[in-house]
Amino acid sequence: GAGVSQSPSNKVTEKGKDVELRCDPISGHTALYWYRQSLGQGLEFLIYFQGNSAPDKSGLPSDRFSAERTGGSVSTLTIQRTEQRDSAMYRCASSLLGSTNYGYTFGSGTRLTVV
Amino acid sequence: DQQVKQNSPSLSVQEGRISILNCDYTNSMFDYFLWYKKYPAEGPTFLISISSIKDKNEDGRFTVFLNKSAKHLSLHIVPSQPGDSAVYFCAASAEYGNKLVFGAGTILRVKS
């Protein structure tokens, strides 16, 4: 696709339920990142995938969070047993390493609300 | 531990004047620095970047300055336009292609 696509755009879930957030990166982009942004805060790094390398999971806040990237393309971020503090905007980004400007392209995000 | 800090939550500038957005960082391993712009209800979009081998990078109305000894970078927008009104995020990375660490953002309002 032309840009990074995230679904759903909004998700309201009850505390304790599991949620899955999906990211479709730009075709051909080798790197994929998940960030989250709480109200009034900057973007907080969660996890990074690069090609076939082991992902950098250093930003995942707890073992309730996991992510996978299938076939080097689509990624799913899963949050188990959601808590109210998980409420945030979850943003996915992809990049083509080696591009001269180096910038990420972000998706429009999934707004997660845990009630 | 906030490694990238944008100490001004907001900035208001008159159209046609210069906007200066500031960013400080603490990690001396950071080698790449970027600015992103974000409009409401949209994802952040890449604006301009600079690597540590340079102290200035210019792209049209946007110029980024890097002072490594002071661990400080700034974004200058001149002349400012009402369409520049957005949230601006500073970001840094210690390794090309690796994760970016973002500041909390500065809201820029350009008044016409």
Side-chain angles (χ1 to χ4, degrees):
Chain A
V4 177
S5 177
Q6 290 188 248
S7 61
S9 55
N10 276 287
K11 177 73 177 178
V12 180
T13 190
E14 291 181 352
K15 177 183 169 182
K17 296 279 181 70
D18 298 352
V19 294
E20 283 189 352
L21 312 179
R22 177 187 168 103
C23 173
D24 267 292
I26 291 175
S27 178
H29 277 195
T30 56
L32 186 148
Y33 312 80
W34 282 98
Y35 283 79
R36 75 174 174 183
Q37 186 175 14
S38 302
L39 197 61
Q41 303 295 314
L43 289 146
E44 175 192 2
F45 168 77
L46 295 177
I47 188 168
Y48 158 53
F49 296 90
Q50 167 50 26
N52 294 322
S53 303
D56 177 351
K57 304 180 182 180
S58 60
L60 295 178
S62 79
D63 59 8
R64 296 185 296 105
F65 287 71
S66 63
E68 61 178 26
R69 187 179 185 193
T70 54
S73 181
V74 172
S75 177
T76 302
L77 177 69
T78 301
I79 309 173
Q80 296 178 309
R81 304 181 303 281
T82 51
E83 301 177 3
Q84 288 183 329
R85 60 179 171 163
D86 300 333
S87 297
M89 175 70 84
Y90 287 80
R91 294 197 186 275
C92 174
S94 69
S95 72
L96 178 61
L97 295 190
S99 66
T100 54
N101 70 16
Y102 175 61
Y104 297 170
T105 301
F106 278 92
S108 297
T110 294
R111 181 166 296 284
L112 175 66
T113 305
V114 181
V115 298
Chain B
D1 173 31
Q2 256 189 309
Q3 297 187 66
V4 177
K5 299 178 186 177
Q6 293 177 257
N7 292 320
S8 298
S10 65
L11 175 67
S12 187
V13 171
Q14 196 67 34
E15 180 179 8
R17 306 295 290 267
I18 185 170
S19 296
I20 300 177
L21 297 123
N22 292 304
C23 179
D24 296 293
Y25 62 96
T26 57
N27 188 341
S28 58
M29 299 299 292
F30 285 149
D31 264 343
Y32 292 91
F33 304 89
L34 304 88
W35 285 94
Y36 281 78
K37 180 167 81 170
K38 184 188 169 308
Y39 292 118
E42 293 182 12
T45 55
F46 169 75
L47 191 57
I48 193 169
S49 65
I50 189 168
S51 73
S52 59
I53 62 173
K54 292 185 169 185
D55 56 16
K56 176 182 174 182
N57 189 23
E58 195 170 350
D59 183 3
R61 297 185 297 112
F62 302 89
T63 303
V64 57
F65 295 92
L66 175 63
N67 183 334
K68 281 207 77 178
S69 60
K71 294 192 180 67
H72 178 83
L73 69 156
S74 61
L75 174 68
H76 293 209
I77 307 172
V78 55
S80 302
Q81 299 173 354
D84 296 329
S85 298
V87 180
Y88 288 79
F89 292 98
C90 167
S93 171
E95 184 180 330
Y96 183 77
N98 210 327
K99 63 193 181 195
L100 291 174
V101 179
F102 284 84
T106 296
I107 300 170
L108 174 65
R109 295 187 186 90
V110 181
K111 299 177 288 188
S112 54

Short mmCIF file of all heavy atoms in Angstrom, two decimals, chain A residues 34-89:
data_model
loop_
_atom_site.label_atom_id
_atom_site.label_comp_id
_atom_site.label_asym_id
_atom_site.label_seq_id
_atom_site.Cartn_x
_atom_site.Cartn_y
_atom_site.Cartn_z
N TRP A 34 6.98 -0.57 16.73
CA TRP A 34 5.77 -0.24 17.48
C TRP A 34 6.14 0.77 18.56
O TRP A 34 7.13 0.59 19.30
CB TRP A 34 5.17 -1.48 18.14
CG TRP A 34 4.41 -2.37 17.23
CD1 TRP A 34 4.85 -3.52 16.61
CD2 TRP A 34 3.04 -2.24 16.84
NE1 TRP A 34 3.85 -4.08 15.87
CE2 TRP A 34 2.73 -3.32 15.99
CE3 TRP A 34 2.04 -1.30 17.12
CZ2 TRP A 34 1.46 -3.50 15.42
CZ3 TRP A 34 0.79 -1.47 16.56
CH2 TRP A 34 0.51 -2.56 15.72
N TYR A 35 5.31 1.81 18.65
CA TYR A 35 5.44 2.81 19.68
C TYR A 35 4.06 3.01 20.32
O TYR A 35 3.04 2.66 19.72
CB TYR A 35 5.89 4.16 19.10
CG TYR A 35 7.35 4.25 18.77
CD1 TYR A 35 7.85 3.68 17.60
CD2 TYR A 35 8.24 4.90 19.62
CE1 TYR A 35 9.20 3.76 17.30
CE2 TYR A 35 9.59 4.99 19.32
CZ TYR A 35 10.06 4.41 18.16
OH TYR A 35 11.40 4.49 17.86
N ARG A 36 4.03 3.57 21.50
CA ARG A 36 2.75 4.00 22.04
C ARG A 36 2.90 5.40 22.60
O ARG A 36 3.98 5.83 23.00
CB ARG A 36 2.21 3.05 23.09
CG ARG A 36 2.88 3.11 24.44
CD ARG A 36 2.17 2.22 25.43
NE ARG A 36 2.89 2.16 26.69
CZ ARG A 36 2.53 1.41 27.72
NH1 ARG A 36 1.44 0.64 27.64
NH2 ARG A 36 3.23 1.41 28.82
N GLN A 37 1.79 6.10 22.60
CA GLN A 37 1.76 7.49 23.05
C GLN A 37 0.59 7.67 23.99
O GLN A 37 -0.57 7.56 23.58
CB GLN A 37 1.64 8.43 21.85
CG GLN A 37 1.74 9.89 22.21
CD GLN A 37 1.73 10.77 20.98
OE1 GLN A 37 1.39 10.35 19.88
NE2 GLN A 37 2.09 12.02 21.16
N SER A 38 0.91 7.93 25.25
CA SER A 38 -0.13 8.23 26.21
C SER A 38 -0.42 9.72 26.16
O SER A 38 0.37 10.51 25.65
CB SER A 38 0.31 7.82 27.62
OG SER A 38 0.63 6.45 27.64
N LEU A 39 -1.56 10.10 26.71
CA LEU A 39 -2.00 11.49 26.63
C LEU A 39 -0.95 12.44 27.20
O LEU A 39 -0.47 12.26 28.31
CB LEU A 39 -3.32 11.65 27.41
CG LEU A 39 -4.12 12.91 27.13
CD1 LEU A 39 -4.54 12.94 25.66
CD2 LEU A 39 -5.35 12.97 28.03
N GLY A 40 -0.55 13.41 26.37
CA GLY A 40 0.41 14.41 26.82
C GLY A 40 1.85 13.92 26.89
O GLY A 40 2.73 14.65 27.36
N GLN A 41 2.08 12.72 26.42
CA GLN A 41 3.43 12.15 26.47
C GLN A 41 4.01 12.01 25.07
O GLN A 41 3.30 12.08 24.08
CB GLN A 41 3.39 10.77 27.14
CG GLN A 41 2.82 10.77 28.54
CD GLN A 41 3.66 11.54 29.50
OE1 GLN A 41 4.88 11.40 29.53
NE2 GLN A 41 3.03 12.41 30.29
N GLY A 42 5.33 11.81 25.03
CA GLY A 42 5.99 11.52 23.76
C GLY A 42 5.76 10.08 23.35
O GLY A 42 5.07 9.32 24.01
N LEU A 43 6.36 9.72 22.23
CA LEU A 43 6.25 8.36 21.72
C LEU A 43 7.20 7.45 22.48
O LEU A 43 8.40 7.71 22.55
CB LEU A 43 6.56 8.35 20.23
CG LEU A 43 5.49 9.00 19.37
CD1 LEU A 43 6.08 9.70 18.17
CD2 LEU A 43 4.48 7.95 18.93
N GLU A 44 6.65 6.37 23.01
CA GLU A 44 7.43 5.43 23.81
C GLU A 44 7.71 4.18 22.98
O GLU A 44 6.78 3.52 22.52
CB GLU A 44 6.64 5.07 25.06
CG GLU A 44 7.26 4.00 25.93
CD GLU A 44 6.29 3.49 27.00
OE1 GLU A 44 5.13 3.95 27.02
OE2 GLU A 44 6.69 2.62 27.78
N PHE A 45 8.97 3.84 22.81
CA PHE A 45 9.36 2.69 22.01
C PHE A 45 8.89 1.39 22.67
O PHE A 45 9.01 1.22 23.89
CB PHE A 45 10.88 2.65 21.86
CG PHE A 45 11.41 1.36 21.30
CD1 PHE A 45 11.31 1.08 19.95
CD2 PHE A 45 12.01 0.42 22.12
CE1 PHE A 45 11.80 -0.11 19.43
CE2 PHE A 45 12.50 -0.76 21.63
CZ PHE A 45 12.40 -1.04 20.27
N LEU A 46 8.37 0.47 21.87
CA LEU A 46 7.94 -0.83 22.38
C LEU A 46 8.80 -1.95 21.83
O LEU A 46 9.43 -2.70 22.57
CB LEU A 46 6.47 -1.08 22.03
CG LEU A 46 5.45 -0.15 22.66
CD1 LEU A 46 4.05 -0.47 22.16
CD2 LEU A 46 5.50 -0.21 24.18
N ILE A 47 8.83 -2.10 20.49
CA ILE A 47 9.52 -3.22 19.88
C ILE A 47 9.91 -2.88 18.45
O ILE A 47 9.28 -2.04 17.80
CB ILE A 47 8.63 -4.49 19.92
CG1 ILE A 47 9.40 -5.75 19.45
CG2 ILE A 47 7.37 -4.30 19.08
CD1 ILE A 47 8.66 -7.06 19.73
N TYR A 48 10.97 -3.52 17.96
CA TYR A 48 11.53 -3.21 16.64
C TYR A 48 11.88 -4.52 15.93
O TYR A 48 12.53 -5.39 16.52
CB TYR A 48 12.77 -2.33 16.85
CG TYR A 48 13.80 -2.28 15.75
CD1 TYR A 48 13.45 -1.98 14.44
CD2 TYR A 48 15.14 -2.48 16.05
CE1 TYR A 48 14.43 -1.90 13.46
CE2 TYR A 48 16.12 -2.41 15.07
CZ TYR A 48 15.76 -2.11 13.78
OH TYR A 48 16.73 -2.03 12.80
N PHE A 49 11.41 -4.65 14.70
CA PHE A 49 11.74 -5.79 13.84
C PHE A 49 12.60 -5.30 12.68
O PHE A 49 12.29 -4.29 12.04
CB PHE A 49 10.46 -6.41 13.25
CG PHE A 49 9.53 -7.00 14.25
CD1 PHE A 49 8.52 -6.22 14.82
CD2 PHE A 49 9.62 -8.33 14.62
CE1 PHE A 49 7.64 -6.76 15.74
CE2 PHE A 49 8.74 -8.88 15.54
CZ PHE A 49 7.75 -8.10 16.09
N GLN A 50 13.65 -6.04 12.38
CA GLN A 50 14.49 -5.72 11.23
C GLN A 50 14.81 -7.01 10.50
O GLN A 50 15.58 -7.84 11.00
CB GLN A 50 15.76 -5.01 11.67
CG GLN A 50 16.85 -4.89 10.61
CD GLN A 50 16.37 -4.33 9.29
OE1 GLN A 50 15.39 -3.59 9.23
NE2 GLN A 50 17.03 -4.69 8.21
N GLY A 51 14.20 -7.16 9.34
CA GLY A 51 14.46 -8.33 8.50
C GLY A 51 14.24 -9.62 9.26
O GLY A 51 13.24 -9.80 9.95
N ASN A 52 15.23 -10.51 9.18
CA ASN A 52 15.14 -11.82 9.85
C ASN A 52 15.83 -11.83 11.21
O ASN A 52 15.92 -12.88 11.84
CB ASN A 52 15.76 -12.90 8.96
CG ASN A 52 14.96 -13.09 7.68
OD1 ASN A 52 13.75 -13.04 7.70
ND2 ASN A 52 15.66 -13.29 6.57
N SER A 53 16.32 -10.67 11.62
CA SER A 53 17.01 -10.60 12.90
C SER A 53 16.03 -10.75 14.05
O SER A 53 14.83 -10.50 13.90
CB SER A 53 17.74 -9.26 13.04
OG SER A 53 18.63 -9.05 11.97
N ALA A 54 16.56 -11.17 15.20
CA ALA A 54 15.72 -11.25 16.40
C ALA A 54 15.22 -9.86 16.75
O ALA A 54 15.98 -8.88 16.69
CB ALA A 54 16.52 -11.82 17.56
N PRO A 55 13.93 -9.72 17.07
CA PRO A 55 13.41 -8.38 17.37
C PRO A 55 14.01 -7.80 18.64
O PRO A 55 14.40 -8.52 19.55
CB PRO A 55 11.91 -8.62 17.53
CG PRO A 55 11.77 -10.06 17.86
CD PRO A 55 12.90 -10.76 17.17
N ASP A 56 14.07 -6.48 18.68
CA ASP A 56 14.48 -5.75 19.88
C ASP A 56 13.22 -5.50 20.70
O ASP A 56 12.42 -4.63 20.37
CB ASP A 56 15.14 -4.44 19.47
CG ASP A 56 15.54 -3.58 20.67
OD1 ASP A 56 15.15 -3.91 21.81
OD2 ASP A 56 16.20 -2.55 20.46
N LYS A 57 13.07 -6.25 21.78
CA LYS A 57 11.85 -6.17 22.60
C LYS A 57 12.06 -5.33 23.85
O LYS A 57 11.25 -5.39 24.79
CB LYS A 57 11.44 -7.58 23.06
CG LYS A 57 11.22 -8.57 21.94
CD LYS A 57 10.82 -9.92 22.53
CE LYS A 57 10.64 -10.96 21.43
NZ LYS A 57 10.26 -12.29 21.98
N SER A 58 13.14 -4.58 23.88
CA SER A 58 13.54 -3.92 25.12
C SER A 58 12.53 -2.91 25.65
O SER A 58 12.57 -2.55 26.82
CB SER A 58 14.91 -3.25 24.94
OG SER A 58 14.84 -2.28 23.91
N GLY A 59 11.62 -2.45 24.79
CA GLY A 59 10.65 -1.45 25.23
C GLY A 59 9.33 -2.01 25.72
O GLY A 59 8.49 -1.26 26.23
N LEU A 60 9.12 -3.29 25.59
CA LEU A 60 7.84 -3.86 26.03
C LEU A 60 7.71 -3.70 27.54
O LEU A 60 8.59 -4.13 28.28
CB LEU A 60 7.74 -5.32 25.62
CG LEU A 60 7.70 -5.61 24.12
CD1 LEU A 60 7.65 -7.10 23.85
CD2 LEU A 60 6.52 -4.90 23.47
N PRO A 61 6.61 -3.10 28.01
CA PRO A 61 6.51 -2.76 29.43
C PRO A 61 6.28 -3.94 30.36
O PRO A 61 6.56 -3.82 31.55
CB PRO A 61 5.34 -1.78 29.48
CG PRO A 61 4.52 -2.10 28.27
CD PRO A 61 5.46 -2.60 27.24
N SER A 62 5.74 -5.03 29.85
CA SER A 62 5.52 -6.20 30.70
C SER A 62 5.36 -7.43 29.81
O SER A 62 5.27 -7.32 28.59
CB SER A 62 4.27 -6.00 31.56
OG SER A 62 3.09 -6.24 30.80
N ASP A 63 5.33 -8.59 30.45
CA ASP A 63 5.19 -9.83 29.67
C ASP A 63 3.77 -10.02 29.15
O ASP A 63 3.48 -11.00 28.46
CB ASP A 63 5.64 -11.05 30.49
CG ASP A 63 4.86 -11.22 31.77
OD1 ASP A 63 3.86 -10.48 31.97
OD2 ASP A 63 5.24 -12.07 32.58
N ARG A 64 2.87 -9.07 29.45
CA ARG A 64 1.53 -9.13 28.85
C ARG A 64 1.56 -8.67 27.40
O ARG A 64 0.63 -8.90 26.65
CB ARG A 64 0.56 -8.27 29.65
CG ARG A 64 0.32 -8.73 31.08
CD ARG A 64 -0.75 -7.89 31.76
NE ARG A 64 -0.36 -6.48 31.90
CZ ARG A 64 -0.84 -5.49 31.15
NH1 ARG A 64 -1.76 -5.74 30.21
NH2 ARG A 64 -0.43 -4.26 31.35
N PHE A 65 2.65 -8.00 27.05
CA PHE A 65 2.80 -7.46 25.69
C PHE A 65 3.69 -8.39 24.86
O PHE A 65 4.74 -8.83 25.31
CB PHE A 65 3.46 -6.09 25.72
CG PHE A 65 2.59 -4.98 26.24
CD1 PHE A 65 2.25 -4.90 27.58
CD2 PHE A 65 2.11 -4.01 25.38
CE1 PHE A 65 1.43 -3.88 28.05
CE2 PHE A 65 1.32 -2.97 25.83
CZ PHE A 65 0.97 -2.91 27.18
N SER A 66 3.26 -8.65 23.64
CA SER A 66 4.06 -9.42 22.71
C SER A 66 3.75 -8.96 21.30
O SER A 66 2.72 -8.34 21.04
CB SER A 66 3.79 -10.93 22.85
OG SER A 66 2.44 -11.22 22.51
N ALA A 67 4.66 -9.24 20.38
CA ALA A 67 4.43 -8.87 18.99
C ALA A 67 5.12 -9.87 18.10
O ALA A 67 6.12 -10.48 18.48
CB ALA A 67 4.96 -7.46 18.70
N GLU A 68 4.54 -10.03 16.93
CA GLU A 68 5.18 -10.86 15.94
C GLU A 68 5.04 -10.22 14.57
O GLU A 68 4.17 -9.37 14.36
CB GLU A 68 4.57 -12.27 15.93
CG GLU A 68 3.10 -12.34 15.61
CD GLU A 68 2.61 -13.79 15.57
OE1 GLU A 68 3.24 -14.65 16.23
OE2 GLU A 68 1.61 -14.04 14.91
N ARG A 69 5.93 -10.64 13.70
CA ARG A 69 5.89 -10.12 12.33
C ARG A 69 6.01 -11.32 11.41
O ARG A 69 7.04 -12.01 11.40
CB ARG A 69 7.05 -9.16 12.09
CG ARG A 69 6.94 -8.46 10.74
CD ARG A 69 8.07 -7.48 10.51
NE ARG A 69 7.83 -6.77 9.26
CZ ARG A 69 8.75 -6.02 8.64
NH1 ARG A 69 9.95 -5.88 9.19
NH2 ARG A 69 8.47 -5.41 7.51
N THR A 70 4.96 -11.57 10.67
CA THR A 70 4.90 -12.76 9.84
C THR A 70 5.39 -12.46 8.43
O THR A 70 4.98 -11.45 7.82
CB THR A 70 3.47 -13.31 9.77
OG1 THR A 70 2.59 -12.26 9.36
CG2 THR A 70 3.03 -13.80 11.14
N GLY A 71 6.26 -13.30 7.92
CA GLY A 71 6.73 -13.17 6.55
C GLY A 71 7.43 -11.87 6.27
O GLY A 71 7.51 -11.43 5.12
N GLY A 72 7.95 -11.24 7.30
CA GLY A 72 8.66 -9.99 7.10
C GLY A 72 7.77 -8.84 6.70
O GLY A 72 8.25 -7.80 6.24
N SER A 73 6.42 -9.01 6.91
CA SER A 73 5.53 -7.93 6.49
C SER A 73 4.62 -7.53 7.64
O SER A 73 5.03 -6.80 8.53
CB SER A 73 4.74 -8.37 5.26
OG SER A 73 3.88 -7.35 4.84
N VAL A 74 3.41 -8.07 7.66
CA VAL A 74 2.40 -7.67 8.64
C VAL A 74 2.86 -8.00 10.05
O VAL A 74 3.49 -9.03 10.31
CB VAL A 74 1.07 -8.40 8.34
CG1 VAL A 74 0.06 -8.17 9.45
CG2 VAL A 74 0.52 -7.94 7.00
N SER A 75 2.53 -7.09 10.97
CA SER A 75 2.86 -7.31 12.38
C SER A 75 1.60 -7.22 13.23
O SER A 75 0.69 -6.43 12.93
CB SER A 75 3.89 -6.29 12.85
OG SER A 75 4.17 -6.46 14.23
N THR A 76 1.58 -8.01 14.30
CA THR A 76 0.49 -7.96 15.26
C THR A 76 1.06 -7.72 16.64
O THR A 76 1.99 -8.42 17.07
CB THR A 76 -0.30 -9.29 15.27
OG1 THR A 76 -0.79 -9.55 13.96
CG2 THR A 76 -1.47 -9.21 16.24
N LEU A 77 0.53 -6.71 17.33
CA LEU A 77 0.88 -6.44 18.71
C LEU A 77 -0.26 -6.97 19.57
O LEU A 77 -1.42 -6.61 19.36
CB LEU A 77 1.07 -4.94 18.94
CG LEU A 77 1.36 -4.50 20.38
CD1 LEU A 77 2.75 -4.95 20.82
CD2 LEU A 77 1.25 -2.97 20.51
N THR A 78 0.06 -7.86 20.50
CA THR A 78 -0.96 -8.46 21.37
C THR A 78 -0.74 -8.02 22.80
O THR A 78 0.39 -8.03 23.30
CB THR A 78 -0.87 -10.01 21.30
OG1 THR A 78 -1.07 -10.43 19.94
CG2 THR A 78 -1.96 -10.64 22.17
N ILE A 79 -1.82 -7.58 23.42
CA ILE A 79 -1.79 -7.23 24.84
C ILE A 79 -2.75 -8.16 25.55
O ILE A 79 -3.96 -8.20 25.25
CB ILE A 79 -2.21 -5.77 25.08
CG1 ILE A 79 -1.41 -4.82 24.17
CG2 ILE A 79 -1.99 -5.40 26.55
CD1 ILE A 79 -1.89 -3.37 24.23
N GLN A 80 -2.23 -8.93 26.47
CA GLN A 80 -3.07 -9.88 27.21
C GLN A 80 -3.51 -9.25 28.52
O GLN A 80 -2.81 -8.42 29.12
CB GLN A 80 -2.26 -11.16 27.49
CG GLN A 80 -1.86 -11.91 26.23
CD GLN A 80 -1.02 -13.15 26.56
OE1 GLN A 80 -0.03 -13.06 27.29
NE2 GLN A 80 -1.39 -14.29 26.02
N ARG A 81 -4.69 -9.68 28.96
CA ARG A 81 -5.22 -9.25 30.27
C ARG A 81 -5.07 -7.72 30.42
O ARG A 81 -4.43 -7.23 31.34
CB ARG A 81 -4.48 -9.97 31.40
CG ARG A 81 -4.52 -11.49 31.27
CD ARG A 81 -3.78 -12.19 32.43
NE ARG A 81 -2.38 -11.78 32.54
CZ ARG A 81 -1.39 -12.22 31.79
NH1 ARG A 81 -1.63 -13.06 30.80
NH2 ARG A 81 -0.16 -11.80 32.00
N THR A 82 -5.68 -7.00 29.51
CA THR A 82 -5.50 -5.55 29.46
C THR A 82 -5.84 -4.89 30.79
O THR A 82 -6.72 -5.33 31.54
CB THR A 82 -6.35 -4.92 28.36
OG1 THR A 82 -7.71 -5.36 28.50
CG2 THR A 82 -5.84 -5.29 26.98
N GLU A 83 -5.12 -3.81 31.05
CA GLU A 83 -5.34 -2.98 32.24
C GLU A 83 -5.63 -1.56 31.77
O GLU A 83 -5.27 -1.18 30.65
CB GLU A 83 -4.09 -3.01 33.13
CG GLU A 83 -3.71 -4.41 33.59
CD GLU A 83 -2.43 -4.45 34.41
OE1 GLU A 83 -1.87 -3.36 34.68
OE2 GLU A 83 -2.01 -5.56 34.78
N GLN A 84 -6.23 -0.77 32.64
CA GLN A 84 -6.60 0.59 32.26
C GLN A 84 -5.39 1.42 31.88
O GLN A 84 -5.46 2.29 31.01
CB GLN A 84 -7.40 1.26 33.39
CG GLN A 84 -8.81 0.69 33.51
CD GLN A 84 -9.63 1.39 34.56
OE1 GLN A 84 -9.10 1.87 35.57
NE2 GLN A 84 -10.93 1.43 34.36
N ARG A 85 -4.25 1.15 32.48
CA ARG A 85 -3.04 1.91 32.16
C ARG A 85 -2.50 1.60 30.76
O ARG A 85 -1.59 2.27 30.28
CB ARG A 85 -1.95 1.65 33.19
CG ARG A 85 -1.54 0.19 33.27
CD ARG A 85 -0.44 -0.03 34.29
NE ARG A 85 -0.22 -1.45 34.52
CZ ARG A 85 0.88 -1.93 35.09
NH1 ARG A 85 1.83 -1.12 35.47
NH2 ARG A 85 1.02 -3.22 35.28
N ASP A 86 -3.05 0.56 30.11
CA ASP A 86 -2.65 0.25 28.74
C ASP A 86 -3.33 1.20 27.74
O ASP A 86 -2.96 1.21 26.55
CB ASP A 86 -3.00 -1.19 28.37
CG ASP A 86 -2.33 -2.22 29.25
OD1 ASP A 86 -1.24 -1.92 29.78
OD2 ASP A 86 -2.89 -3.32 29.41
N SER A 87 -4.29 1.97 28.19
CA SER A 87 -5.00 2.89 27.30
C SER A 87 -4.02 3.90 26.73
O SER A 87 -3.31 4.59 27.47
CB SER A 87 -6.11 3.62 28.05
OG SER A 87 -7.08 2.71 28.52
N ALA A 88 -3.96 3.99 25.42
CA ALA A 88 -3.00 4.86 24.74
C ALA A 88 -3.25 4.78 23.24
O ALA A 88 -4.06 3.98 22.77
CB ALA A 88 -1.56 4.46 25.04
N MET A 89 -2.52 5.62 22.50
CA MET A 89 -2.50 5.50 21.05
C MET A 89 -1.30 4.61 20.71
O MET A 89 -0.18 4.93 21.10
CB MET A 89 -2.34 6.88 20.41
CG MET A 89 -2.19 6.83 18.90
SD MET A 89 -3.70 6.34 18.06
CE MET A 89 -4.54 7.92 17.97
#
